[in-house]
């Protein structure tokens, strides 16, 4: 079952969403209109499991405005849902906006569970009585903040599910391919949400000329060829000094979490203003976190000299991001869809290289050739010996080298080994980690 939360702004929809999902996924703030895009997650209420959709608050708006685009996103969520949780603020009482939205919900003809939120304590039942006037059935006195009314909500959902229950479809063949989690990152207003919409082929994310539209990190499932992806659209990352509002700090934290839990990252750059200082900061952050990395050069249709620009971009990427040398740069246009298939193919290749496993035998044959070509330096008159290397893990590729004096090995020689590894085993653009350990002394 898919359950959509509907209601006007600031009645506690995102708090209810977090309560039922069991995690603080949606950003919650006293400011009205924090939620803009619809967010989906698996929710559990006692013995019930269902897909829950958080939506933007209904505020009424003129056509073409940001609020109108938010309402259209809410409309799509309600079209796809089986059951509605209609939330009103019991403290504020029923407002004309509540009545207007209730009329729209009633016309849709789907089961509705009416929740009078913020009805804490003994006076809760009295505060919720006014919600009867909406004509959506018996209201549930509820407190999303404190978890009151959960059992009543469970019983109401059971009855609502029974109204729309359909036979389960036949089980499809089991697909062993686990979705690849990909975070879409970048500065504000470089076209991240527009790019995600074009990739999946629908207006899933709220877009527009206004900077900072996306606040929550929104996850969307998508298939390309025989590979499955879990795409995460994120809020734009600005310089830390410019992030002063608590709401933007929460959005930034949400973006960083999405990047840390992703397997790959598409960093979107504005092709008309590439490699700004903030772009390099984001790329460095992803490389240090060790994620598979691809650069999407968006707004490519605005570049006057494409051939010259792409050569310069690839040269600049290798020079400015040495920790992921050879990183793939893909020119795309989120408006026209140019380069989208190539971008997803490149992401798949980057994840495959990021998951590389190299046998110990091949590694040590390479190590012997690398040290013969360029021997480790002598520090304080004593030459450092690198005896052995093995791969500790993949994703990202992590190697351990056993040497006589790990503390004395210069960083320049470590970079030589990493770059030689990347070239020999065809891992361009992959962050590689090399750890040094001192081998046991057999004569001790």
């Amino acid at each position: 079952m898919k359950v959509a939360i509907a209601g006007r702004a600031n009645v506690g929809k995102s708090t209810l969403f977090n309560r039922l999902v069991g995690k603080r996924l949606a950003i919650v703030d006293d400011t009205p209109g924090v939620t803009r895009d619809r967010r989906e997650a698996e929710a559990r209420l006692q013995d019930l499991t269902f897909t829950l959709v958080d939506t933007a608050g209904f505020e009424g708006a003129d056509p073409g405005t940001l609020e109108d685009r938010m309402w259209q996103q809410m409309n799509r969520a309600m079209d796809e849902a089986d059951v509605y949780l209609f939330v009103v603020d019991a403290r504020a009482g029923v407002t004309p906006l509540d009545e207007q939205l209730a009329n729209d919900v009633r016309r849709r003809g789907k089961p509705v569970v009416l929740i009078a939120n913020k009805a804490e304590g003994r006076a809760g039942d009295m505060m919720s009585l006014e919600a009867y006037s909406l004509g959506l059935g018996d209201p549930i006195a509820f407190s999303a903040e404190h978890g009151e009314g959960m059992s009543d909500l469970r019983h109401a959902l059971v009855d609502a599910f029974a109204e729309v229950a359909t036979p389960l479809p036949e089980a499809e063949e089991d697909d062993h391919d686990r979705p690849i989690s990909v975070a879409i990152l970048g500065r504000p207003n470089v076209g991240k949400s527009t790019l995600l919409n074009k990739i999946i082929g629908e207006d899933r994310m709220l877009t527009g000329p206004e900077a900072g539209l996306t606040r929550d990190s929104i996850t969307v499932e998508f298939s390309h060829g025989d590979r499955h992806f879990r795409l995460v659209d994120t809020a734009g990352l600005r310089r830390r000094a410019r992030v002063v509002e608590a709401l933007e700090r929460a959005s930034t934290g949400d973006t960083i979490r999405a990047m840390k839990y992703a397997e790959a990252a598409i960093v979107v750059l504005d092709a008309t203003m590439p490699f700004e200082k903030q772009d390099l900061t984001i790329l460095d952050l992803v490389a240090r976190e060790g994620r598979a990395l691809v650069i999407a050069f968006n707004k490519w249709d605005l570049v006057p000299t494409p051939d010259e620009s792409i050569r310069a971009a690839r040269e600049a990427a290798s020079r400015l991001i040495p920790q992921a040398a050879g990183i793939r740069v893909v020119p795309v246009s989120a408006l026209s869809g140019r380069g989208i298939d190539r971008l997803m193919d490149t992401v798949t290749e980057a994840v495959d290289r990021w998951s590389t496993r190299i046998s110990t035998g091949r590694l040590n044959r390479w190590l012997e050739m690398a040290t013969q070509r360029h021997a480790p330096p002598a520090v304080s008159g004593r030459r450092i010996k690198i005896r052995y290397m093995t791969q500790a893990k993949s994703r990202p590729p992590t190697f351990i080298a056993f040497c006589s004096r790990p503390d004395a090995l210069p960083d320049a020689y470590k970079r030589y080994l990493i770059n030689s590894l990347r070239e020999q085993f065809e891992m361009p653009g992959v962050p590689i980690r090399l750890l040094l350990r001192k081998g046991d002394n057999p004569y001790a």
Side-chain angles (χ1 to χ4, degrees):
M1 292 290 176
K2 182 173 280 192
V3 179
I5 305 175
R8 60 182 176 82
N10 221 32
V11 294
K13 298 186 299 300
S14 293
T15 306
L16 173 62
F17 178 85
N18 288 342
R19 170 70 63 181
L20 295 178
V21 170
K23 300 177 185 176
R24 191 179 172 85
L25 291 182
I27 296 175
V28 177
D29 193 86
D30 290 336
T31 308
V34 170
T35 303
R36 289 174 172 173
D37 292 290
R38 61 189 194 271
R39 175 195 279 271
E40 296 184 8
E42 290 301 311
R44 181 180 294 274
L45 179 57
Q46 297 178 17
D47 58 333
L48 298 180
T49 304
F50 49 93
T51 300
L52 190 63
V53 187
D54 188 21
T55 64
F58 176 66
E59 300 181 71
D62 297 326
T65 61
L66 171 61
E67 290 76 14
D68 180 58
R69 300 200 301 275
M70 290 164 60
W71 164 240
Q72 291 172 16
Q73 286 284 332
M74 183 178 177
N75 243 331
R76 293 192 189 99
M78 295 171 71
D79 289 340
E80 297 171 2
D82 302 301
V83 174
Y84 304 139
L85 296 182
F86 191 96
V87 185
V88 297
D89 186 340
R91 296 177 189 169
V94 175
T95 68
L97 279 178
D98 290 323
E99 294 172 350
Q100 186 179 345
L101 183 57
N103 290 334
D104 180 79
V105 167
R106 197 182 301 109
R107 281 194 298 269
R108 293 173 183 269
K110 295 182 180 180
V112 182
V113 175
L114 180 58
I115 296 176
N117 192 31
K118 305 181 185 180
E120 295 90 348
R122 296 179 180 177
D125 290 334
M126 294 298 295
M127 294 164 64
S128 64
L129 291 179
E130 190 178 348
Y132 274 104
S133 63
L134 294 173
L136 296 176
D138 298 340
I140 298 171
F142 198 85
S143 171
E145 184 71 31
H146 301 96
E148 296 179 13
M150 300 290 274
S151 294
D152 293 337
L153 177 57
R154 183 257 176 203
H155 293 311
L157 280 175
V158 168
D159 294 339
F161 291 164
E163 291 184 43
V164 292
T166 56
L168 293 173
E170 293 184 9
E172 298 179 358
E173 290 185 10
D174 186 24
D175 186 0
H176 297 289
D177 284 343
R178 189 172 51 83
I180 299 170
S181 180
V182 181
I184 302 177
L185 307 170
R187 292 184 285 122
N189 222 29
V190 293
K192 300 182 295 297
S193 297
T194 307
L195 178 64
L196 185 142
N197 285 344
K198 186 60 71 172
I199 289 173
I200 64 175
E202 64 171 283
D203 291 336
R204 174 64 178 81
M205 302 301 302
L206 191 65
T207 60
E210 303 91 347
L213 277 182
T214 303
R215 284 173 172 168
D216 292 286
S217 296
I218 307 298
T219 303
V220 181
E221 300 280 345
F222 167 74
S223 293
H224 175 73
D226 60 347
R227 303 298 289 267
H228 304 289
F229 296 89
R230 185 178 292 117
L231 302 174
V232 186
D233 187 27
T234 62
L237 291 172
R238 296 202 297 164
R239 284 167 45 196
R240 184 180 296 179
R242 294 185 179 179
V243 180
V244 294
E245 296 181 4
L247 187 55
E248 189 173 357
R249 282 201 300 271
S251 296
T252 299
D254 212 24
T255 298
I256 299 298
R257 271 193 303 276
M259 184 270 294
K260 289 185 175 181
Y261 283 103
E263 297 167 78
I266 298 174
V267 178
V268 184
L269 306 189
D270 187 335
T272 61
M273 297 183 295
F275 297 111
E276 297 275 316
K277 184 177 180 181
Q278 182 63 6
D279 294 329
L280 298 177
T281 301
I282 295 169
L283 288 164
D284 179 65
L285 179 67
V286 176
R288 281 191 286 112
E289 196 61 35
R291 299 293 166 255
L293 181 57
V294 174
I295 294 177
F297 249 47
N298 192 27
K299 306 182 184 179
W300 195 246
D301 45 340
L302 303 179
V303 174
T305 55
D307 292 341
E308 183 181 329
S309 297
I310 193 61
R311 282 195 298 270
R314 286 170 178 155
E315 184 276 327
S318 294
R319 175 170 46 83
L320 297 171
I321 316 155
Q323 62 272 49
I327 184 173
R328 295 294 190 241
V329 178
V330 183
V332 299
S333 171
L335 279 180
S336 67
R338 175 184 173 184
I340 296 297
D341 289 339
R342 186 179 173 198
L343 175 64
M344 298 313 298
D345 290 338
T346 305
V347 171
T348 303
E349 293 170 9
V351 172
D352 290 341
R353 290 195 300 268
W354 184 66
S355 307
T356 297
R357 295 289 311 191
I358 305 169
S359 69
T360 302
R362 290 178 64 203
L363 263 180
N364 285 284
R365 284 193 293 274
W366 160 82
L367 179 63
E368 185 178 355
M369 289 188 296
T371 51
Q372 286 177 357
R373 190 185 316 127
H374 185 182
V379 179
S380 301
R382 294 164 55 197
R383 188 165 294 282
I384 299 171
K385 296 179 182 177
I386 302 178
R387 299 186 175 90
Y388 178 79
M389 183 178 283
T390 186
Q391 183 171 0
K393 71 182 191 71
S394 58
R395 306 163 68 88
T398 302
F399 302 92
I400 298 178
F402 295 89
C403 61
S404 56
R405 298 163 63 200
D407 295 340
L409 191 69
D411 289 339
Y413 196 79
K414 285 177 63 178
R415 286 195 295 272
Y416 159 71
L417 291 176
I418 289 173
N419 290 332
S420 181
L421 262 173
R422 183 177 284 121
E423 181 182 347
Q424 176 69 25
F425 297 106
E426 298 179 352
M427 296 184 287
V430 175
I432 295 175
R433 291 173 175 169
L434 177 61
L435 310 177
L436 301 177
R437 297 285 185 271
K438 187 171 182 178
D440 294 332
N441 184 354
Y443 302 103

